[in-house]
């Protein structure tokens, strides 16, 4: 299962890179090309019926059958050795490529940042133009200019979210009480403001990352309202900048630290 996951990681990454026109670092590209060649060179198990049918044509000619059997045995031995070696070799090479890719995660995420710059620019320009608390289902109520802004922001957001999912192997983070899975995805392209005025602001920002707005109490857990995340974030001071794993961890720390409720406000709770 672990090897299969590594192969899926590599396949997902290369598909995203191809789709966005990202050229992976040279040594990795060379290794990937070689791995694909080996995967394409896997051979099916030899058909013994075919060999025995051929050998049977020599029935009555002992010398010819002995010679043909030697040739068949060599062919079968070579095919068996190829099959027994190739599978484990491909698994081992996939592991090597996976490790090499992970070692180059900062370089690779930077390459994706360059490729995704147009989508980030669109969100920085268009997301904040939509009304605060905007929901996708209300798009039909927008005037033509804002509907165009919504369409551009929606499509850009879809590309960014998909790219982040494709790079999941680099972002080993888990959801917690503050960050949902959707929020963790958004942290790769949404940077928080430099400072938060209070802890409720930080909580609102964490919810906006997930496309959620709470009605009623700022810290309530009920009455959640789904909103278009980029617009909610833009109205809370976010800027849209691509981040690698290290920067995402820093963004998480910034928001988590700001979301700590002061002890004086906990008295009597």
């Amino acid at each position: 299962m672990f090897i299969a996951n590594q192969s899926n990681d590599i396949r997902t990454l290369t598909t995203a890179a191809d789709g966005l026109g990202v050229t992976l670092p040279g040594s990795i590209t060379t290794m990937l090309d070689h791995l694909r060649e080996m995967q394409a060179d896997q051979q099916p198990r030899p058909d013994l019926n075919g060999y025995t049918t051929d050998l049977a044509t020599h029935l009555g000619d002992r010398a010819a059958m002995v010679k043909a059997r030697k040739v068949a045995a060599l062919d079968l031995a070579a095919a068996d050795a190829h099959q027994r070696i190739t599978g484990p070799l491909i698994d081992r090479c996939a592991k090597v490529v996976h490790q090499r890719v992970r070692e180059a995660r900062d370089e690779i995420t930077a390459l994706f940042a360059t490729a995704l710059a147009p989508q980030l620019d669109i969100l920085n320009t268009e997301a904040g133009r939509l009304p605060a608390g905007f929901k996708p289902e209300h798009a039909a109520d927008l005037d033509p200019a804002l509907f165009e802004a919504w369409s551009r922001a929606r499509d850009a957001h879809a590309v960014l979210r998909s790219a982040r999912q494709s790079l999941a192997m680099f972002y080993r983070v888990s959801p917690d009480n503050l960050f949902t899975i959707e929020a963790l995805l958004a942290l790769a392209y949404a940077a928080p403001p430099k400072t938060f005025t209070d802890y409720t602001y930080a909580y609102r920002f964490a919810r906006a990352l997930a496309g959620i707005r709470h009605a009623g109490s700022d810290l309530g857990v009920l009455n959640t309202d789904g909103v278009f995340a980029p617009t909610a974030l833009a109205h809370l001071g976010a800027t849209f900048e691509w981040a690698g794993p290290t920067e995402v961890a820093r963004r998480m720390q910034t928001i988590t630290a700001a979301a700590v409720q002061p002890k004086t406000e906990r008295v009597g709770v």
Side-chain angles (χ1 to χ4, degrees):
M1 180 63 72
F2 185 63
I3 292 295
N5 289 340
Q6 290 181 331
S7 296
N8 287 337
D9 284 344
I10 294 170
R11 188 179 305 110
T12 300
L13 170 65
T14 55
T15 299
D18 290 343
L20 291 169
V22 172
T23 301
L24 297 175
S27 61
I28 292 176
T29 298
T30 301
M31 294 167 73
L32 284 168
D33 288 343
H34 195 177
L35 179 59
R36 291 190 189 100
E37 289 174 8
M38 288 191 292
Q39 290 170 330
D41 191 37
Q42 294 185 84
Q43 299 173 2
R45 188 175 295 278
D47 180 11
L48 292 180
N49 289 329
Y51 280 95
T52 56
T53 298
D54 180 63
L55 289 169
T57 63
H58 300 294
L59 185 63
D61 186 341
R62 290 178 176 79
M65 183 174 285
V66 168
K67 183 177 180 180
R69 280 172 62 96
K70 289 182 179 179
V71 172
L74 289 173
D75 286 349
L76 288 170
D80 181 62
H82 183 278
Q83 188 174 63
R84 292 181 64 187
I85 293 172
T86 301
L89 177 60
I90 287 174
D91 288 346
R92 173 60 63 177
C93 290
K95 182 176 181 179
V96 171
V97 173
H98 192 272
Q99 180 62 34
R100 176 67 187 90
V101 166
R102 283 187 54 78
E103 290 171 353
R105 58 186 175 272
D106 291 332
E107 183 179 0
I108 292 173
T109 51
L111 292 170
F112 271 80
T114 300
L116 293 166
Q119 284 73 34
L120 295 164
D121 288 343
I122 288 172
L123 287 193
N124 279 313
T125 302
E126 308 290 13
R129 294 178 57 196
L130 298 168
F134 171 75
K135 302 179 183 180
E137 57 265 34
H138 294 161
D141 299 330
L142 298 172
D143 64 44
L146 285 183
F147 186 85
E148 177 63 23
W150 148 244
S151 298
R152 287 167 55 80
R154 174 200 60 202
D155 294 347
H157 180 238
V159 172
L160 291 165
R161 188 178 181 282
S162 176
R164 166 58 181 82
Q165 288 180 306
S166 298
L167 299 177
M169 63 184 293
F170 299 142
Y171 300 88
R172 299 301 187 186
V173 289
S174 301
D176 56 25
N177 291 333
L178 186 60
F179 299 105
T180 66
I181 292 176
E182 284 296 325
L184 293 174
L185 291 176
L187 277 172
Y189 49 84
K194 294 186 182 299
T195 58
F196 290 100
T197 54
D198 55 42
Y199 70 94
T200 62
Y201 184 0
Y203 267 96
R204 287 197 299 273
F205 193 89
R207 291 196 295 268
L209 286 166
I212 295 172
R213 181 180 63 174
H214 286 182
S217 170
D218 274 338
L219 301 181
V221 294
L222 301 176
N223 302 322
T224 58
D225 206 11
V227 294
F228 183 50
T231 291
L233 291 166
H235 282 279
L236 288 172
T239 54
F240 298 99
E241 306 167 19
W242 192 260
T246 301
E247 174 60 17
V248 164
R250 190 196 67 77
R251 291 175 181 180
M252 290 179 66
Q253 291 171 357
T254 297
I255 300 168
T256 300
V260 175
Q261 185 177 357
K263 291 182 179 180
T264 54
E265 298 189 31
R266 297 178 188 170
V267 176
V269 175

